[in-house]
Amino acid sequence: MAVYEFFWKVWLRLNLLTKDVDNDYTAEVSTMKNTLRNEDIARRIVVEGSEIKYDTMLSIIKQHDRIISEAVQQGYSVLTDNCQFTPRVSGSWVTAKDQFDPARHKVTLDITLSAKMREALAKVGLEILGVKDSGASINKVTDGATGLIDGTITAGDVITIEGDKLRVAGEGEAIGVFFVDSTGANPVKVADRIRRNDPKCVEVKVPDSLTKGAQYTLRIVTSFSSGTTLLKEPRTIEYEKLLTVDGGGGDRPEIE
């Protein structure tokens, strides 16, 4: 049995290409909110204990990328620890004397995972978050204590959640409104009665147990579809903006 060291969180989407199958899904990886760039990689290397300063490290990484780019321009196949770049031309030639035509021929690359990267991915497992429906969304969260929509919320007070197909419906502990911390390990479910529960607006009390100053992802899990019809599998809706629990008093944290 495989032992996984890392886990990707994935959403399931109905596979619209198989119309005759009701429970056929494809997976969509829920990537981290920030895309890492060379600057981030340089910082990580420095944090790991490199004696090379950040500016120098960033310059080396950019030089590494430039040399790879120049090499493939020259027609080289380049193999790094992560992948192999192989020059390729797409398109067809009408005759043996046909000339290169950018309108019909494309200069491109095949990028193949290295053996080392395949070994790394073998250590990745999947955490299924549930069924994602593009028709359902959380568009705005208003803090009842302040009236602000800047991403700050007040523990013990009411928030107003606005969007589409939000009504909490269905049975079971998995159904409800949750606050999920950065670890994702122990989502905090709203235990109090939902004060307003409509398709476009849900009002709930923020649990007192949330950590002041911490950031949480707001998640609604519901079987609501339309009218009295319920989905066969619960839908999970998450707010794209992280919510920060107000510590009370003083200035509020800045939310990007």
Side-chain angles (χ1 to χ4, degrees):
M1 180 180 293
V3 178
Y4 300 119
E5 299 179 18
F6 306 91
F7 288 87
W8 288 352
K9 297 182 178 181
V10 300
W11 295 104
L12 298 181
R13 285 184 177 275
L14 280 172
N15 187 355
L16 301 179
L17 298 179
T18 55
K19 297 181 179 179
D20 296 332
V21 182
D22 293 333
N23 295 316
D24 186 21
Y25 297 89
T26 58
E28 174 188 317
V29 178
S30 178
T31 57
M32 303 300 286
K33 294 184 180 297
N34 297 324
T35 298
L36 294 185
R37 303 180 184 279
N38 282 341
E39 290 78 4
D40 304 297
I41 296 171
R43 290 190 189 95
R44 288 194 174 197
I45 294 175
V46 172
V47 169
E48 284 189 355
S50 172
E51 296 180 357
I52 301 176
K53 292 184 178 180
Y54 167 77
D55 290 341
T56 304
M57 180 62 68
L58 180 58
S59 176
I60 293 172
I61 292 174
K62 289 184 176 180
Q63 185 179 27
H64 168 270
D65 286 349
R66 177 182 57 78
I67 290 175
I68 290 177
S69 177
E70 291 177 351
V72 296
Q73 284 179 317
Q74 295 165 355
Y76 285 96
S77 175
V78 180
L79 176 63
T80 71
D81 279 356
N82 290 326
C83 63
Q84 181 169 3
F85 302 86
T86 305
R88 181 171 65 86
V89 176
S90 63
S92 60
W93 270 253
V94 178
T95 68
K97 294 183 179 181
D98 197 3
Q99 299 298 309
F100 170 61
D101 180 358
R104 295 183 290 115
H105 308 131
K106 183 179 180 181
V107 174
T108 185
L109 293 171
D110 285 330
I111 301 178
T112 308
L113 297 182
S114 67
K116 188 171 183 179
M117 178 59 78
R118 289 196 297 272
E119 291 175 3
L121 292 179
K123 299 177 182 178
V124 177
L126 300 182
E127 176 187 347
I128 308 301
L129 298 176
V131 178
K132 187 174 184 179
D133 186 341
S134 59
S137 63
I138 298 174
N139 302 327
K140 183 171 70 173
V141 175
T142 304
D143 183 18
T146 64
L148 297 176
I149 57 173
D150 63 353
T152 54
I153 57 176
T154 304
D157 215 301
V158 175
I159 58 171
T160 300
I161 309 166
E162 298 177 64
D164 293 301
K165 296 184 179 180
L166 300 180
R167 177 183 290 163
V168 179
E171 301 293 336
E173 285 299 312
I175 302 296
V177 181
F178 300 84
F179 291 86
V180 186
D181 66 13
S182 59
T183 68
N186 298 296
V188 179
K189 183 176 181 180
V190 173
D192 292 65
R193 176 182 60 85
I194 297 177
R195 306 190 176 204
R196 181 176 176 182
N197 193 16
D198 297 327
K200 290 187 175 295
C201 183
V202 172
E203 291 184 352
V204 297
K205 178 184 175 183
V206 178
D208 293 299
S209 60
L210 297 189
T211 302
K212 301 296 194 305
Q215 291 187 316
Y216 292 85
T217 296
L218 175 64
R219 177 185 296 170
I220 295 179
V221 182
T222 177
S223 294
F224 175 74
S225 177
S226 60
T228 58
T229 302
L230 295 181
L231 296 172
K232 294 180 180 180
E233 297 291 337
R235 169 197 296 127
T236 299
I237 314 163
E238 289 192 349
Y239 191 33
E240 292 184 353
K241 190 174 188 177
L242 289 174
L243 300 178
T244 302
V245 182
D246 182 23
D251 296 332
R252 285 178 174 269
E254 294 183 1
I255 306 295
E256 294 182 356

